[in-house]
């Protein structure tokens, strides 16, 4: 199954004030700065080829000049640089349905394309630690801002959510005092919020950030509260996949990702591709 959006970890019920959150994007910090991961010896590696796709913007896409671009592409290049493999590094795009076969046939050493980490995929791949997680967020009208604690402010208030989604289950289980308003899709969710028929919308933070940045939102709205993270509802995050019997590269990627985070490179990439931060 093709999971395009995967998200992460433990429910976090505290959030920054809406004004501070809107003005100063928070950078997701997934690595313990005190942890010391060993630098891998990759001298025997003849090359490092990343496999990705072209149809998952802003993660992977072709720019207006037909060049492979995106968050994943720049992240792969940064990993190669930290591993001192820039001269051996290649990034190749293949159709999503061909990623697994290409890896198994030896056409690449790793997949960086938003593959979901599930029990099923863990049987087929080895994974790095997550490098990005997608929290659930509330969005409200700018004309009707909400202050903390959000949980209390929304008691008895109508909150829209896509029907049948993991976010609907999460809203009902952890924000039981709100009046959940199930809606058929994200378009309907956005429309109800803009019209003021619901006090807030609840959903995937990244997708909501794209809507907030889009002209269709008419700059009506902003994030409030959060971020809210829960693996039992939303998964464990984006990770780099390798062949299941590969013990070397996942550890190498963990080392590189931690170095990228510590040196501020990850923050630069995050702000470049997600100008309205979803944390």
């Amino acid at each position: 199954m093709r999971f395009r959006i995967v998200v992460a970890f433990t429910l976090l019920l505290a959030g920054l004030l809406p004004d501070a959150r809107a003005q100063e994007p928070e950078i997701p910090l997934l690595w313990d700065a005190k942890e010391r991961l060993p630098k891998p010896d990759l001298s025997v590696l003849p090359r490092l080829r990343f496999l990705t796709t072209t149809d998952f913007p802003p993660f992977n896409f072709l720019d207006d000049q037909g060049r492979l671009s995106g968050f994943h592409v720049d992240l792969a290049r940064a990993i190669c640089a930290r591993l001192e493999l820039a001269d051996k590094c290649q990034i190749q795009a293949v159709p999503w349905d061909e990623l697994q076969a290409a890896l198994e046939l030896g056409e690449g050493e790793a997949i960086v394309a938003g593959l979901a980490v599930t029990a099923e995929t863990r049987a087929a791949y080895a994974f790095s630690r997550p490098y990005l997680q997608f929290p659930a967020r509330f969005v409200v009208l700018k004309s009707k801002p909400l202050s903390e604690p959000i949980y209390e402010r929304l008691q008895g208030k109508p909150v829209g959510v896509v029907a049948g989604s993991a976010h609907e289950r999460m809203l009902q289980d952890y924000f039981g005092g709100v009046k959940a308003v199930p809606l058929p899709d994200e378009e309907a969710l956005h429309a109800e919020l803009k019209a003021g028929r619901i006090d807030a919308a609840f959903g995937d933070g990244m997708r909501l950030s794209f809507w907030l940045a889009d002209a269709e939102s008419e700059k009506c709205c902003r994030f409030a509260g959060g971020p809210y993270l829960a693996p039992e509802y939303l998964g464990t995050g984006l990770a780099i996949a390798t062949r299941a019997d590969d013990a070397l590269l996942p550890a190498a990627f963990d080392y590189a990702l931690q170095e990228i985070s510590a040196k501020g490179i990850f923050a630069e990439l995050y702000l470049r591709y997600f100008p309205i931060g979803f944390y």
Side-chain angles (χ1 to χ4, degrees), residues 196-237:
R197 289 188 285 269
I198 54 177
D199 281 45
F202 187 70
D204 177 76
M206 185 188 72
R207 297 178 69 88
L208 286 169
S209 76
F210 292 161
W211 176 66
L212 291 175
D214 190 85
E216 194 274 333
S217 74
E218 299 177 336
K219 299 182 179 180
C220 67
C221 305
R222 69 189 311 167
F223 283 126
Y228 305 101
L229 304 156
E232 64 272 32
Y233 297 91
L234 306 175
T236 57

Side-chain angles (χ1 to χ4, degrees), residues 142-201:
K142 289 180 179 178
S143 60
K144 297 181 180 179
L146 292 175
S147 60
E148 294 289 355
I150 298 297
Y151 182 86
E152 293 182 4
R153 300 292 183 268
L154 289 175
Q155 292 293 300
K157 301 293 181 62
V159 176
V161 65
V162 174
S165 66
H167 295 93
E168 181 185 25
R169 297 192 299 273
M170 186 177 169
L171 180 67
Q172 292 173 340
D173 290 347
Y174 286 97
F175 298 91
V178 308
K179 181 182 177 182
V181 180
L183 296 163
D185 51 36
E186 291 179 339
E187 184 177 353
L189 180 65
H190 301 160
E192 290 296 290
L193 181 61
K194 287 173 65 177
R197 289 188 285 269
I198 54 177
D199 281 45

Side-chain angles (χ1 to χ4, degrees), residues 39-50 76-90 109 248-249 252-253 256:
K39 184 176 181 178
D41 180 4
L42 300 178
S43 58
V44 298
L45 198 68
R47 60 194 170 202
L48 178 53
R49 297 167 297 173
F50 286 94
R77 289 174 178 149
I79 288 171
C80 288
R82 297 312 308 167
L83 295 176
E84 300 178 357
L85 293 173
D87 58 338
K88 299 180 179 181
C89 188
Q90 301 174 22
E109 284 68 55
L248 177 62
L249 281 180
F253 294 149

